[in-house]
Amino acid sequence: MRIVIIGSGFGGLNAAIEIRKKLTSPQHEIIVVADKAQFVFRPSLIWLPFHKHRLNKMTFPLRPTFEKAGITFIEKCVQALMPKQNHILCKDDEIIEYDYLIVATGASPDWARIEGLEGRSASIYGISTALQTRKKVKEIKEKDPIVIGVGQGNPNQGIAYEFLFELEAYLHEHRLECPLTFFTYEEELFNGKGKEPTERLERLLEKKQVTYYCNVSIERADDESIYLTNGKQLPHSFLFVLPPYKGVDCIFASTDLEHDHGILPVHDTLQSIQWKNIYVIGDANNMKGTKSGRAAELQGTLAAENIIKQIQQEPLQSFQEDTMYFMELGKAGAMLVMDKPVKEGVFQWAISGMMPHIMKRAFEKYYLLKFS
Ligand SMILES: Cc1cc2nc3c(=O)[nH]c(=O)nc-3n(C[C@H](O)[C@H](O)[C@H](O)COP(=O)(O)OP(=O)(O)OC[C@H]3O[C@@H](n4cnc5c(N)ncnc54)[C@H](O)[C@@H]3O)c2cc1C
């Protein structure tokens, strides 16, 4: 039996390791196909534009990790999924057959969905864009108006808050006074994770004299300004906006696969709504809640467990969101936000200060040690 996993980010890497741990027989072939042979610990990308981290401390080569675990790693770009034929087609026309497939291809920023945003906003979704943003940050001059925001529909809002606080700390350090404006489509700052994170962020924005607007969407952007649905026109010299997400190219190129902007619909068991032998995890699926590395990891574990249950003809388990999110706060350290389902309902908890910042750094080291 062959289980193929496309993608080796937080979701794909964990799914592959967990399946191998449970299916140890060589009769079970586990194959990971990914277009990059390097793992990037993406939460650390926030430090790259501000020279606060080195690339070699946040990445590792994947091939030795998979070899050690007894997993076949194929470095190839997948062109399309062919679910009717139970195979995937790679860009070099190689066909890889599977009995079960886990799609862990993540998502990409959908700039084109907001008029005028494409090419105007700085971004930190990958190493190259984070390094381009480093250059843009260096070009900021005294009094330049800076706008940072969360565009409608973006599912990982925390990145914009982190960028705001890290940039504010940078400006302070370089003695630059620039007007800072923040906006989000959320009803309140970092909505839905309890009162404590929202109130903490409100206090910080007021202290740092950041003008902010909640519950607003972007109408359009141009070279001079960004136009919000509350009638505000915000001039910008430096713009950092989180756009909505879309799926990766191979999803759009696939036939017989329903999707919404490339994002694949799943049951709460992570099984594709169309194909019983396909599971979709992490940023690539339409599960509600914040898209995060932790969610992708937990979903990787669940997909592994559910595939084994399916093989053994047992009932599948449902995914329950369980947030543990570290948000950098510049000079104020960081905030750790927890939002866990418990017997009595939901447990929400947050702490901030230097300790969560140290924990975020330590977590990265632990993760790299565990998998590299
Ligand atoms: C700046 C930043 C800060 C963040 N901070 C946090 C944080 O503090 N905490 C947190 O939990 N999360 C954080 N996240 C979110 C987290 O990184 C993502 O949610 C997570 O990476 C999603 O994991 P994934 O496995 O679903 O997808 P990805 O990590 O995007 O992995 C996708 C994989 O698919 C591969 N792939 C894509 N297309 C193809 C193809 N056609 N063929 C072959 N392979 C393909 C890619 O190479 C990659 O291996 C942050 C993200 C960013 C950008």
Side-chain angles (χ1 to χ4, degrees), residues 34 58 64 66 69 102 133 155 159 172 194 214 223 234 238 252 261 275 279-280 285 344-345 356 361:
M58 51 183 278
F66 287 127
I102 298 183
T133 297
I159 299 169
H172 191 262
C214 293
D223 280 343
L234 309 176
F238 181 95
F252 288 94
H261 297 281
W275 303 95
Y279 287 76
V280 189
N285 73 24
E344 302 76 32
R361 289 277 192 180

Side-chain angles (χ1 to χ4, degrees), residues 46-167:
I46 185 64
W47 291 310
L48 276 191
F50 308 102
H51 285 276
K52 283 185 168 179
H53 210 33
R54 279 199 241 129
L55 266 178
N56 62 351
K57 302 269 183 206
M58 51 183 278
T59 55
F60 64 84
L62 284 159
R63 202 172 285 283
T65 304
F66 287 127
E67 263 170 25
K68 223 176 359 181
I71 294 163
T72 306
F73 178 64
I74 301 177
E75 186 185 345
K76 278 191 181 175
C77 184
V78 173
Q79 188 182 323
L81 284 62
M82 324 280 259
K84 265 192 187 162
Q85 291 84 359
N86 288 324
H87 69 226
I88 56 174
L89 174 67
C90 297
K91 278 232 164 114
D92 62 358
D93 289 336
E94 189 190 346
I95 283 174
I96 302 173
E97 295 183 337
Y98 61 82
D99 295 291
Y100 288 92
L101 178 69
I102 298 183
V103 182
T105 43
S108 49
D110 195 357
W111 301 107
R113 229 176 322 153
I114 296 180
E115 190 189 330
L117 207 52
E118 195 147 24
R120 293 200 166 95
S121 170
S123 139
I124 51 170
Y125 282 111
I127 290 173
S128 61
T129 50
L131 293 175
Q132 283 162 21
T133 297
R134 180 188 280 182
K135 279 193 195 150
K136 286 191 182 177
V137 165
K138 259 195 185 157
E139 287 163 10
I140 295 175
K141 301 180 300 298
E142 178 82 0
K143 303 282 179 235
D144 275 354
I146 293 173
V147 178
I148 297 171
V150 188
Q152 52 270 32
N154 178 279
N156 187 347
Q157 306 87 352
I159 299 169
Y161 294 92
E162 290 197 298
F163 193 83
L164 170 71
F165 292 113
E166 290 300 307
L167 183 59

